Amino acid sequence: MATIKVHGNFFSTATLRVLASLNEKSLDYEFVPVDLRSGEHKKDPFLSLNPFGQIPAFQDGYLNLFESRAVTRYIAHSYAGDGIPLVSSDAKKAAVEDVWAEVEAQRYEPPAAKLTWELGIKPVLGMATDDDVVKAQEAELAKVLDVYEARLAHSKYLGGDAFSLADLHHLPTLKYLMASPVKAVFEARPHVAAWVADIMARPSWQKVLAC
Amino acid sequence: MVVKVYGATYAACPQRVMACLFELGFQFDLIKIDLQSGEQKQPQNLLRQPFGQVPSIEDGDFKLFESRAIIRYYAGKSASQGGTNLLGETLEERALVEQWMEVEVNNYNPLIYTMVLQLVVLPQQGQVGDMELVKDCKGKLEKVLDVYEERLSKSKYLGGERFTIADLTHLPNTRFLMEEGGMEDLIKRRKNLHNWWLDISSRPSWLKVMDLPK
């Protein structure tokens, strides 16, 4: 029986972020679907797993965690010897990877999440896309990707020579954005485009998409 | 080796870094970046921080930006050298520290950042802040702080029984709420949260940051 449980759903970018890291490590886990439509995530017993009422929630034996990027960091460190390394064992290299993981969370995620909502999720829920928001957020994303383009011109991955959490954390929003008109913003920047193609082709990510 | 910190004494993210360096006993020089004149967006600073923000650090040849990456690095360095441990002792403790650092990034900082923009930055630029937005943020913050209150009723500090970077990372934004933000009642009404704030804000490292000349 798997000691690891992930409570979430397959539309949720945060849930997919955790699943991607588990797959990179070749770890077994039990997936527990959470019914957002009925508000399951805002009630007990789910609230005892994440008091902010958000998915995913994560369990490894008696350890209970939430916040997807804390979970991926826990998986990267606690299972360092399993599967693919997701964090460098060199402190300085790990720090540089962490810089770009922060960039993902602080700079990339805000426009990426809003665009994912407008172009990826709203249509599925039968809601109308707000074109003004899309236009504004696309402009924000372009500014961030200009910095990425400069970075990736001399670094194979965002964090350095090796694939790390700094890259992995982008995969769930990329899933939606590269299937939308916003993919043009990525494709217009050759180093960014190559990096996107590389990380999205990873077998561990393909396995998440097949769930 | 004295670490160079590029930033300003009154800005939240540089304060996060300086508090951490004081806690850990790592010496640093603050090199002032004139935020009012937009020096952070000038080419020289863009080489240090490509998004045109502060802080960034230089430790010999080693350079970093993003305040939370910087504090993680130095916390890790101190712990691995047998110095002050602000990361957590076990893997599980470290995971909980990470969890509450992420909570600050995702559930706390965005609300406070929005309020700082509307209440301080826009007026400084001669514009009117959106008070409806502030009201909306305050309402959301009430619910978030209820979760913190619950956590701190069971645990002395956010990550566990020890002060860690999970608590330290909250210092600058919480100070704003208590002072220019004019929302000290949000904290004072919650007994455990208030006691936690009194505890962490009276640490010598934070008092040193507050004493730095503006």
Side-chain angles (χ1 to χ4, degrees):
Chain A
M1 187 184 118
T3 64
I4 293 175
K5 289 185 188 175
V6 181
H7 302 250
N9 88 17
F10 293 117
F11 282 107
S12 145
T13 53
T15 303
L16 296 177
R17 190 169 290 119
V18 171
L19 300 184
S21 64
L22 289 167
N23 287 354
E24 289 287 342
K25 294 297 189 185
S26 305
L27 295 170
D28 288 330
Y29 62 90
E30 183 189 335
F31 185 79
V32 182
V34 177
D35 183 7
L36 301 187
R37 285 197 184 216
S38 72
E40 187 186 341
H41 54 312
K42 302 290 181 192
K43 302 177 207 164
D44 284 318
F46 185 82
L47 286 178
S48 66
L49 295 175
N50 185 340
F52 292 95
Q54 295 165 323
I55 54 172
F58 175 88
Q59 291 172 294
D60 187 357
Y62 64 84
L63 178 67
N64 169 212
L65 294 175
F66 52 91
E67 287 298 336
S68 65
R69 295 172 185 82
V71 175
T72 60
R73 283 192 176 98
Y74 165 74
I75 290 165
H77 285 106
S78 298
Y79 294 95
D82 293 85
I84 312 282
L86 293 177
V87 61
S88 176
S89 53
D90 176 283
K92 286 184 175 172
K93 287 185 179 176
V96 174
E97 287 171 358
D98 199 31
V99 165
W100 291 91
E102 285 297 319
V103 166
E104 185 276 333
Q106 310 276 2
R107 302 262 68 77
Y108 167 85
E109 166 81 5
K114 291 183 182 94
L115 289 166
T116 294
W117 171 247
E118 290 297 331
L119 297 168
I121 314 286
K122 267 176 145 182
V124 170
L125 298 176
M127 294 165 71
T129 296
D130 184 333
D131 290 327
D132 288 336
V133 171
V134 170
K135 197 171 164 195
Q137 294 306 317
E138 217 175 326
E140 287 301 312
L141 180 66
K143 286 185 214 166
V144 173
L145 292 183
D146 283 341
V147 177
Y148 279 31
E149 181 66 10
R151 170 65 177 165
L152 293 165
H154 60 261
S155 183
K156 184 163 190 222
Y157 292 101
L158 278 179
D161 304 325
F163 178 81
S164 71
L165 291 181
D167 309 286
L168 182 148
H169 286 171
H170 293 78
L171 285 165
T173 43
L174 284 174
K175 172 189 170 215
Y176 289 100
L177 299 183
M178 296 307 286
S180 79
V182 166
K183 69 178 180 176
V185 184
F186 294 86
E187 286 169 350
R189 293 157 177 83
H191 294 101
V192 169
W195 165 78
V196 168
D198 179 306
I199 66 173
M200 290 184 81
R202 292 180 72 87
S204 312
W205 181 244
Q206 293 300 312
K207 203 174 153 197
V208 172
L209 297 178
C211 282
Chain B
M1 178 69 70
V2 176
V3 181
K4 288 184 189 167
V5 179
Y6 292 87
T9 55
Y10 56 85
C13 296
Q15 287 176 343
R16 185 176 286 114
V17 169
M18 292 188 285
C20 184
L21 294 174
F22 278 136
E23 276 286 336
L24 299 172
F26 288 121
Q27 287 200 298
F28 67 91
D29 282 333
L30 177 71
I31 292 140
K32 291 186 180 169
I33 300 287
D34 184 358
L35 303 179
Q36 306 288 8
S37 73
E39 189 187 340
Q40 67 276 29
K41 306 283 180 199
Q42 296 304 312
Q44 201 167 9
N45 196 62
L46 288 175
L47 291 173
R48 302 179 194 115
Q49 214 287 15
F51 297 93
Q53 296 169 312
V54 292
S56 62
I57 63 109
E58 276 172 29
D59 189 341
D61 289 332
F62 184 54
K63 295 172 189 179
L64 292 175
F65 58 93
E66 285 297 338
S67 62
R68 295 164 186 86
I70 295 167
I71 67 174
R72 274 194 193 96
Y73 170 68
Y74 283 104
K77 187 175 179 182
S78 176
S80 69
Q81 289 172 347
T84 305
N85 185 337
L86 294 184
L87 276 186
E89 300 280 335
T90 62
L91 281 172
E92 288 77 16
E93 225 179 285
R94 290 186 181 201
L96 289 172
V97 169
E98 278 301 333
Q99 177 181 278
W100 286 94
M101 285 207 48
E102 284 299 311
V103 166
E104 191 274 335
V105 168
N106 293 309
N107 289 307
Y108 194 71
N109 187 60
L111 297 174
I112 313 239
Y113 182 80
T114 302
M115 292 196 286
V116 170
L117 204 58
Q118 304 306 321
L119 292 171
V120 178
V121 177
L122 290 178
Q124 269 173 3
Q125 294 171 350
Q127 295 178 59
V128 179
D130 182 344
M131 293 304 119
E132 277 305 306
L133 187 53
V134 172
K135 197 173 155 190
D136 183 61
C137 284
K138 197 176 172 185
K140 288 177 178 159
L141 191 56
E142 292 265 18
K143 294 190 182 147
V144 167
L145 293 178
D146 284 342
V147 180
Y148 277 75
E149 176 64 7
E150 176 64 20
R151 170 61 178 167
L152 292 165
S153 72
K154 297 179 188 141
S155 176
K156 185 164 189 219
Y157 294 101
L158 288 173
E161 293 311 300
R162 271 178 279 253
F163 177 81
T164 64
I165 49 174
D167 308 287
L168 184 148
T169 195
H170 285 81
L171 282 162
N173 280 332
T174 312
R175 185 215 63 80
F176 166 79
L177 280 184
M178 297 296 288
E179 295 178 16
E180 310 88 278
M183 293 180 204
E184 58 174 25
D185 65 296
L186 290 182
I187 308 291
K188 286 183 170 174
R189 270 191 277 118
R190 294 168 171 87
K191 188 181 126 224
N192 299 299
L193 185 66
H194 190 215
N195 285 339
W196 168 80
W197 168 249
L198 291 172
D199 180 315
I200 67 172
S201 60
S202 62
R203 292 181 77 89
S205 58
W206 185 243
L207 297 176
K208 276 189 205 169
V209 174
M210 292 292 96
D211 275 343
L212 291 171
K214 303 285 174 280

